[in-house]
């Protein structure tokens, strides 16, 4: 499959590590140039090195929900690589852990802002700058917690359910030239998800039919498929990537 994205450029948000970096690595392996974002330039520079350096990747630091940062990322993508063919909205936050009845509402508003509103803004800007005229493909990174209630991360799951709905609506609005899909991972071994498995990984893994937790590469391969021409007749879908966990009603 190497080379199927030759000449194409992808923006992947929240990609200095974890799932985002796994997605970026797969896209580069398939020939794409990637522009990755995160909060800290130092970690982005390290990630760019892992992706093969300046010929393959560019890191632009900033907050995912900052409109000026979004504009700058898209500008640099166009100036450096000449296009914005793909967008992966991977950034997600969950600064709370516990019952929703005790949720800090200020934190709730921030989660919605980053997980949902920022994703819409990135899509609006990518479409205006490139995709409306040239076509493209978008993937929104959701979560299996968007499909079934998950204790202690319930509001995060609710925002991801909203993101699934956004994916469906934008697929209707932006076709036929732009496809919009999503991916919903279960527990993937990243720093972000550590509270869900740390200290009990073997026990947690045994509850999945495939008997292991996910790794970023598992998600990266599915995202690459959804962006590729192999998925040319798919839009508005959120693909579950969960080691069979939802078969067992596992969402955490």
């Amino acid at each position: 499959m190497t080379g199927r994205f030759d000449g194409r450029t992808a923006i992947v948000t929240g990609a200095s590590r974890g799932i985002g970096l796994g997605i970026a690595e797969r896209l580069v392996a398939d020939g794409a140039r990637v522009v990755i974002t995160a909060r800290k330039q130092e970690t982005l520079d390290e990630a760019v090195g892992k992706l093969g350096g300046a010929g393959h990747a560019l890191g632009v630091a900033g907050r995912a929900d900052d409109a000026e940062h979004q504009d700058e990322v898209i500008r640099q993508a166009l100036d450096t690589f000449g296009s914005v063919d793909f967008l992966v909205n991977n950034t997600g936050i969950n600064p709370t852990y516990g019952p929703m009845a005790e949720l800090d509402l200020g934190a709730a508003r921030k989660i919605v802002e980053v997980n949902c509103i920022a994703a819409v803004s990135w899509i609006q800007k990518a479409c205006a700058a490139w995709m409306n005229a040239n076509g493209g493909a978008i993937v929104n990174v959701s979560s299996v917690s968007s499909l079934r209630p998950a204790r202690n991360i319930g509001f995060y799951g609710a925002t991801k359910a909203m993101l699934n709905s956004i994916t469906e609506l934008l697929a209707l609005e932006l076709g036929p030239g732009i496809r919009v899909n999503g991916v919903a991972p279960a527990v993937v071994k990243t720093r972000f998800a550590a509270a869900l498995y740390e200290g009990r990984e073997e026990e947690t893994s045994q509850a999945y039919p495939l008997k292991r937790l996910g790794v970023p590469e598992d998600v990266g391969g599915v995202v690459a498929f959804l962006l590729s021409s192999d998925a040319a007749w798919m839009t508005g879908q959120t693909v579950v990537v969960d080691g069979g966990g939802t078969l067992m009603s596992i969402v955490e």
Side-chain angles (χ1 to χ4, degrees):
M1 303 300 287
T2 301
R4 63 177 168 175
F5 296 145
D6 284 352
R8 305 288 188 88
T9 303
I11 293 173
V12 185
T13 70
S16 62
R17 63 174 188 261
I19 289 175
L21 182 56
I23 292 168
E25 287 174 332
R26 179 55 187 267
L27 298 183
V28 168
D30 284 356
R33 292 82 54 89
V34 297
V35 181
I36 59 174
T37 78
R39 293 291 299 272
K40 298 179 180 179
Q41 190 64 50
E42 180 180 357
T43 57
L44 282 170
D45 292 343
E46 293 174 1
V48 167
K50 294 176 182 177
L51 293 168
H56 301 278
L58 172 68
V60 185
R63 296 194 337 267
D65 58 334
D66 181 345
E68 292 184 1
H69 168 65
Q70 296 165 3
D71 289 335
E72 179 64 14
V73 170
I74 290 172
R75 184 190 68 77
Q76 290 204 38
L78 292 171
D79 289 350
T80 304
F81 297 129
S83 64
V84 179
D85 305 286
F86 306 133
L87 170 65
V88 181
N89 277 311
N90 174 67
T91 299
I93 64 167
N94 186 38
T96 65
Y97 186 81
M100 191 182 296
E102 300 173 8
L103 177 67
D104 177 85
L105 296 184
R109 293 183 183 95
K110 185 64 175 179
I111 297 170
V112 173
E113 184 71 34
V114 174
N115 293 2
C116 301
I117 298 173
V120 174
S121 182
W122 279 104
I123 291 169
Q124 289 177 340
K125 292 176 184 295
C127 288
W130 181 264
M131 292 185 184
N132 284 342
N134 300 281
I138 297 163
V139 172
N140 295 320
V141 178
S142 182
S143 165
V144 294
S145 65
S146 70
L147 307 174
R148 299 180 184 181
R151 292 183 186 276
N152 297 315
I153 59 170
F155 195 76
Y156 170 81
T159 64
K160 291 299 188 176
M162 181 178 176
L163 185 62
N164 296 350
S165 181
I166 289 167
T167 294
E168 293 175 350
L169 180 61
L170 286 172
L172 287 173
E173 292 183 351
L174 298 178
I178 302 168
R179 295 184 301 106
V180 187
N181 289 294
V183 60
V187 177
V188 175
K189 292 172 64 175
T190 64
R191 187 185 306 177
F192 179 80
L196 301 178
Y197 69 89
E198 205 165 53
R200 53 190 176 93
E201 181 179 337
E202 184 174 353
E203 176 188 352
T204 304
S205 300
Q206 290 308 304
Y208 289 79
L210 293 186
K211 304 303 181 187
R212 69 173 177 88
L213 301 183
V215 293
E217 293 84 352
D218 293 320
V219 183
V222 177
V223 171
F225 162 72
L226 290 172
L227 294 174
S228 78
S229 60
D230 289 337
W233 210 42
M234 288 182 66
T235 197
Q237 306 304 306
T238 296
V239 178
V240 175
V241 186
D242 72 339
T246 49
L247 300 174
M248 311 296 292
S249 298
I250 298 167
V251 291
E252 58 175 323

